[in-house]
Amino acid sequence: MAKKPKKQQQSGGTPATVALTAAGVDFTVHSYDHDPNHPSYGEEAAQAMGVSPDRVFKTLVADVDGSLVVGVVPVAGSLDLKALAAAVGGKRAAMADPALAERTTGYVRGGISPLGQRKRLPTVLDDSAGGHATICVSAGRRGLEVELAPVDLAKLTGAVLAPIGRG
C-alpha cells in the first residue's frame, strides 16, 4: 500500500509543494500579499509571516566554475560566494545570470525554490538551518513560502550543510 502524504496540497500547487506532497513530508504553506515595491523578497516574507528572519531562508543561484549551484541562506544575511564554492569543491563563484537561473530552475526571481526545480542543481544549505526545528523557504512563487524541517529540505534536495551565510 502506498504511503499517504502527511499533508495534502490543494490542486494548483507549485512544483515545490507537489514535490513535498509526493515525498510525504510534513510542511506548512504560508501565503501573503507580495508587495512588488518591497526592497527585499526575503525580509518581506519574514515580516508578513511574523517569523524571525534567521528562520526564513532565501534561495540563490550561483555559477561555480561554470556550473550552477544553489545556496540557501538566511534572509537576514548574505551568501558567502567563496564558502559556497569551497562547499562544492570549486574555486570561484559568482551570482548566476538571473535569466539563466530562472530558465534552469523554472521559477522567477524572488520565487526560486530549492524544491521542485526544472533541473535539479547541487544545493548547499547554510549550516545555521540545523539550529531550528523548522525553516521557511520559497514555495515557488512570490508571496508563497513553505515551512519544513531542515533535515527534510536537505534530504529532498540532496543538500550539503556548510557555513555559507554571512551575518
Side-chain angles (χ1 to χ4, degrees):
M1 181 175 217
K3 183 179 173 186
K4 275 193 155 186
K6 296 176 186 170
K7 296 238 180 192
Q8 293 292 328
Q9 179 61 31
Q10 67 278 10
S11 63
T14 67
T17 60
V18 168
L20 287 165
T21 300
V25 169
D26 267 329
F27 68 98
T28 304
V29 174
H30 298 276
S31 64
Y32 58 92
D33 291 326
H34 166 63
D35 175 3
N37 296 317
H38 199 287
S40 166
Y41 298 118
E43 289 176 15
E44 176 192 26
Q47 291 168 358
M49 294 185 303
V51 175
S52 172
D54 66 337
R55 281 190 48 233
V56 179
F57 283 62
K58 56 189 169 185
T59 305
L60 302 170
V61 181
D63 179 316
V64 178
D65 298 335
S67 297
L68 294 181
V69 175
V70 172
V72 184
V73 297
V75 301
S78 61
L79 175 62
D80 181 334
L81 289 166
K82 190 172 186 178
L84 178 67
V88 295
K91 294 182 185 199
R92 293 200 168 136
M95 293 306 298
D97 173 68
L100 178 60
E102 288 179 345
R103 273 194 316 274
T104 304
T105 64
Y107 294 117
V108 298
R109 197 169 70 95
I112 294 178
S113 178
L115 299 155
Q117 296 175 355
R118 182 177 291 147
K119 179 182 179 193
R120 186 171 166 176
L121 298 172
T123 302
V124 182
L125 175 60
D126 185 65
D127 62 358
S128 68
H132 304 286
T134 61
I135 60 170
C136 298
V137 296
S138 176
R141 70 174 177 254
R142 297 171 188 153
L144 196 67
E145 296 276 314
V146 288
E147 182 177 351
L148 73 165
V151 67
D152 288 334
L153 178 62
K155 183 177 176 185
L156 291 174
T157 60
V160 297
L161 268 67
I164 60 166
R166 282 191 288 206

